[in-house]
């Protein structure tokens, strides 16, 4: 029996709305789809996001609003009025501005059926054509009730998160917005800033680019229209985090100015740069793994994968045959190279076993 009541109405069938519909359909929930674009609605139905609601269909028990932040509140208010028994949730990536706008639009009784959510998953590409039913597996699903939210609404959204393979996390709206400023919005801005420095180098210089540049600029290839709305809706929290970045950057600039061509640089200049890199090491180690924990519990090994069809699939199959659960996988490959690198994270207690078994099966596991 599903933890999510049917039917669920998904309003807005872009990447997130489309993926939610696919994920819920995969659990047996009946999903109704609605989009401002008839063509997008038709494509969503064809892709298996859900079905187009008919005049005889029952009212939704749950409405999920997956729209840009600037119009989310008005769609939520309409849904609360249209379906007086439905729980209505939005999946916008900012929560306080949406909550404040909904609160201004409806009375307290309607507001009790509203709850904010934010599934912490996405892709660089957008639109329903990029939707995937497994997008949320293993990812946090933030649930943001307000002080008047019905307890059954929180329970229902926890059940939804569990059904689609996510990890439910309950937070207050303002705390959520500060958190995503740190882990999502500022990284997007910094990736975009870094990518703008690539507009001036020569083609020869760009030909030297390696995996590190690709890793640090990957999310820069995002939808400008969507991100203008997201950044504007969370401007206060983002500006606060960027202020910390600016202070640190000023220190780095001072250190570099001191070192540039100066035979007797200021004391502490090299230390400032070393501290930056070391603090970065500490910061990156705090990024959670698949199960929400990082640190000494996980080990990483690097396996050389020949650039031939089927080799990566063979590696993953043999890891399964060995009986080791793959916690995370990152691939590194440059065009023209004969091998790629598979960086594999597993439980630390299984690292030695996997290294030994893979070597016995002919795989090359890089040292260090």
């Amino acid at each position: 029996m599903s933890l999510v009541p049917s039917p669920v109405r998904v309003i807005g069938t872009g990447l997130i709305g489309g993926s939610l519909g696919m994920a819920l359909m995969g659990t047996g929930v009946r999903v109704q789809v609605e989009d401002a674009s008839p063509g997008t609605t038709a494509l969503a139905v064809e892709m298996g996001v859900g079905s187009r609601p008919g005049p005889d269909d029952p009212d939704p028990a749950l409405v999920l609003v997956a729209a840009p932040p600037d119009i989310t509140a008005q769609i939520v208010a309409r849904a609360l009025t249209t379906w007086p028994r439905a729980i209505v949730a939005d999946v916008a990536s900012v929560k306080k501005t949406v909550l404040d706008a909904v609160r201004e639009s409806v009375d307290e009784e309607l507001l009790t059926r509203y709850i904010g959510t934010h599934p912490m998953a996405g892709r660089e590409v957008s639109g329903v054509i990029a939707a995937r039913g497994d997008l949320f597996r293993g990812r946090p699903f933030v649930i943001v009730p307000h002080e008047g939210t019905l307890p059954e609404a929180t329970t229902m959204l926890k059940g939804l998160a569990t059904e689609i393979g996510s990890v439910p996390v309950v937070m207050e709206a303002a705390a959520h917005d500060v958190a995503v400023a740190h882990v999502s919005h500022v990284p997007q801005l910094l990736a975009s800033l870094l990518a703008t420095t690539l507009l001036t180098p020569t083609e020869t210089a760009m030909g030297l680019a390696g995996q590190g540049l690709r890793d640090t600029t990957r999310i820069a290839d995002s939808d400008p229209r969507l991100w203008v709305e997201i950044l504007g809706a969370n401007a206060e929290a983002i500006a606060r985090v960027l202020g910390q970045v600016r202070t640190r950057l000023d220190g780095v600039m001072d250190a570099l100015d001191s070192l540039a061509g100066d035979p007797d640089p200021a004391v502490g200049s090299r230390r400032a740069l070393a501290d930056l890199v070391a603090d970065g090491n500490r910061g990156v180690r705090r990024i959670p793994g698949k199960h929400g924990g990082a640190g000494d519990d996980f080990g990483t090994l690097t396996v050389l994968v020949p650039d031939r069809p089927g080799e990566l699939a063979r590696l993953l199959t043999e890891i399964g045959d060995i009986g080791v659960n793959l916690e995370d996988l990152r691939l590194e490959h440059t065009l023209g190279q004969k091998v790629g690198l598979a960086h594999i994270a597993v439980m630390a207690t299984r690292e030695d076993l996997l290294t030994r078994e893979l070597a016995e099966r002919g795989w090359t596991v890089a040292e260090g």
Side-chain angles (χ1 to χ4, degrees), residues 86-315:
I87 298 299
V88 178
D90 77 281
V91 298
S93 59
V94 290
K95 303 283 35 127
K96 189 172 186 304
T97 54
V98 172
L99 172 60
D100 290 344
V102 173
R103 185 176 273 128
E104 291 177 2
S105 303
V106 301
D107 61 37
E108 288 296 325
E109 183 177 356
L110 291 180
L111 191 64
T112 61
R113 292 185 287 108
Y114 165 69
I115 186 168
T117 71
H118 183 196
M120 297 297 297
R123 302 180 67 187
E124 308 89 74
V125 287
S126 60
V128 68
I129 197 70
R132 290 173 24 184
D134 63 352
L135 186 66
F136 311 105
R137 289 195 176 278
R139 302 297 304 154
F141 192 102
V142 187
I143 300 164
V144 188
H146 56 85
E147 65 280 359
T149 297
L150 293 170
E152 53 262 40
T154 302
T155 301
M156 185 184 295
L157 270 298
K158 285 181 178 179
L160 184 150
T162 301
E163 286 282 5
I164 65 175
S166 295
V167 181
V169 179
V170 178
M171 297 183 72
E172 185 268 334
H176 164 274
D177 290 354
V178 171
V180 294
H182 279 283
V183 304
S184 176
H185 301 165
V186 168
Q188 172 66 48
L189 281 173
L190 295 180
S192 296
L193 282 168
L194 175 58
T196 64
T197 69
L198 305 177
L199 297 175
T200 54
T202 65
E203 291 300 316
T204 300
M206 292 303 298
L208 305 179
Q211 192 63 37
L213 184 63
R214 294 184 182 92
D215 288 345
T216 51
T217 58
R218 179 182 60 81
I219 60 172
D221 190 18
S222 298
D223 184 350
R225 293 169 298 178
L226 174 62
W227 274 99
V228 165
E229 299 299 336
I230 293 172
L231 298 173
N234 201 25
E236 182 179 349
I238 293 169
R240 197 155 57 239
V241 179
L242 283 177
Q244 301 168 11
V245 174
R246 180 169 57 188
T247 299
R248 196 72 189 246
L249 184 58
D250 286 342
V252 171
M253 291 296 296
D254 290 343
L256 293 173
D257 287 343
S258 176
L259 290 168
D262 190 339
D264 187 24
V267 174
S269 296
R270 290 185 176 84
R271 177 61 183 270
L273 299 179
D275 284 348
L276 172 71
V277 176
D279 286 349
N281 293 164
R282 300 206 330 264
V284 82
R285 292 190 190 110
R286 298 195 66 210
I287 299 174
K290 184 176 74 173
H291 297 296
D296 295 337
D297 289 343
F298 297 93
T300 301
L301 56 153
T302 300
V303 182
L304 276 61
V305 182
D307 187 16
R308 296 192 298 266
E311 288 298 301
L312 178 60
R314 182 169 70 89
L315 172 62

